[in-house]
Amino acid sequence: MSKILIINASVVPKENSRSFAITELFLEKYKLNNPQDEIIVLDLNNEEMAKQSLWKGNMNAFWTPELSGKYQDQIKSVDKLVMVTPMINWNISPLLKNYIDRITLANVTFSYSKSTHPEGIPAGLLTNIKSFQAITTKGSPTHWYSEFINIGEYLNGLFTLLGAKVKPALVLGGMDMPPLVGQKPSDVAKVFEKEITEAANKF
Ligand SMILES: Cc1cc2nc3c(=O)[nH]c(=O)nc-3n(C[C@H](O)[C@H](O)[C@H](O)COP(=O)(O)O)c2cc1C
């Protein structure tokens, strides 16, 4: 039995969120093969720490046990991780950036002293994560902006560095353009059922 953490970083309310509906369909497919797994959902919209970004005034109080330590412990305790974010202003969601700032800490989730790289690139300590799946959406067509930003590849690169085993990211575009714009989130998810099912079967 595996313990799975789902991190939702969409800033869109659940009832309108395409990434939420896509994640629901992903989980539905995943549970068909893995009915016993424990699923933990962390919605960053409900977490105070995800709404406070790092600045010079809070450097000393940023990585406290309550605001950061408990999330580091959580991510170190799971076997699999699903990270869900739309593209927001050509980047990951700001909630997710704040989360990442809190869990990426030397000697907790990565280590310079344990590096085996010839130039000292740090070793990842999140080797507990045997499967990492990024689910990303964007309003524009999938290929737009990919010459300078692909948030799925960014998350996969980061979590590889941190020691996780990553799966190909789902990068699902066109959410705010015809024919998807205005469709019910559950109908949008069905449009991508093939890719979602393949990813769920390999997760
Ligand atoms: C504040 C904001 C900024 C956004 N910035 C971008 C962007 O830079 N590029 C893009 O393709 N889509 C952008 N979008 C569109 C979202 O990525 C898209 O609507 C996404 O599907 C919303 O999240 P959801 O999948 O949870 O519904 C933006 C949406 C919002 C609300």
Side-chain angles (χ1 to χ4, degrees), residues 10 12 17-19 86-90 137-140 175-176:
S10 177
V12 175
S17 168
R18 281 66 61 88
S19 62
M87 179 180 276
I88 299 291
N89 294 327
W90 299 277
T137 53
K138 58 202 273 194
S140 58
M175 298 293 157
D176 297 335

Side-chain angles (χ1 to χ4, degrees), residues 5-160:
L5 178 62
I6 317 286
I7 299 182
N8 172 36
S10 177
V11 297
V12 175
K14 270 180 191 164
E15 56 280 14
N16 301 326
S17 168
R18 281 66 61 88
S19 62
F20 181 78
I22 287 162
T23 305
E24 292 276 279
L25 186 58
F26 175 89
L27 281 178
E28 186 188 311
K29 303 288 179 190
Y30 179 79
K31 283 181 192 163
L32 292 176
N33 302 329
N34 305 275
Q36 309 294 340
D37 283 4
E38 182 188 353
I39 314 262
I40 304 159
V41 178
L42 178 66
D43 184 345
L44 296 182
N45 291 280
N46 300 332
E47 305 298 318
E48 209 36 53
M49 61 84 179
K51 298 173 204 167
Q52 298 173 18
S53 44
L54 180 61
W55 68 295
K56 71 179 179 185
N58 69 2
M59 273 290 270
N60 293 333
F62 195 76
W63 291 280
T64 61
E66 182 56 27
L67 293 175
S68 299
K70 82 174 186 197
Y71 300 93
Q72 294 157 8
D73 292 346
Q74 182 184 51
I75 201 170
K76 286 170 75 107
S77 76
V78 299
D79 307 301
K80 299 185 180 188
L81 178 60
V82 180
M83 197 160 260
V84 186
T85 179
M87 179 180 276
I88 299 291
N89 294 327
W90 299 277
N91 216 313
I92 57 170
S93 141
L95 297 169
L96 187 56
K97 175 66 168 75
N98 289 337
Y99 174 84
I100 288 172
D101 283 341
R102 291 183 185 281
I103 60 103
T104 45
L105 193 62
N107 301 322
V108 176
T109 49
F110 65 93
S111 163
Y112 288 104
S113 59
K114 294 204 166 94
S115 173
T116 54
H117 186 273
E119 293 177 32
I121 291 179
L125 301 181
L126 286 181
T127 48
N128 54 295
I129 300 177
K130 302 292 184 279
S131 192
F132 171 86
Q133 179 69 55
I135 297 181
T136 72
T137 53
K138 58 202 273 194
S140 58
T142 305
H143 65 281
W144 283 16
Y145 321 124
S146 56
E147 69 282 9
F148 72 95
I149 180 83
N150 180 324
I151 57 175
E153 279 181 21
Y154 162 68
L155 290 172
N156 273 3
L158 173 63
F159 277 84
T160 299

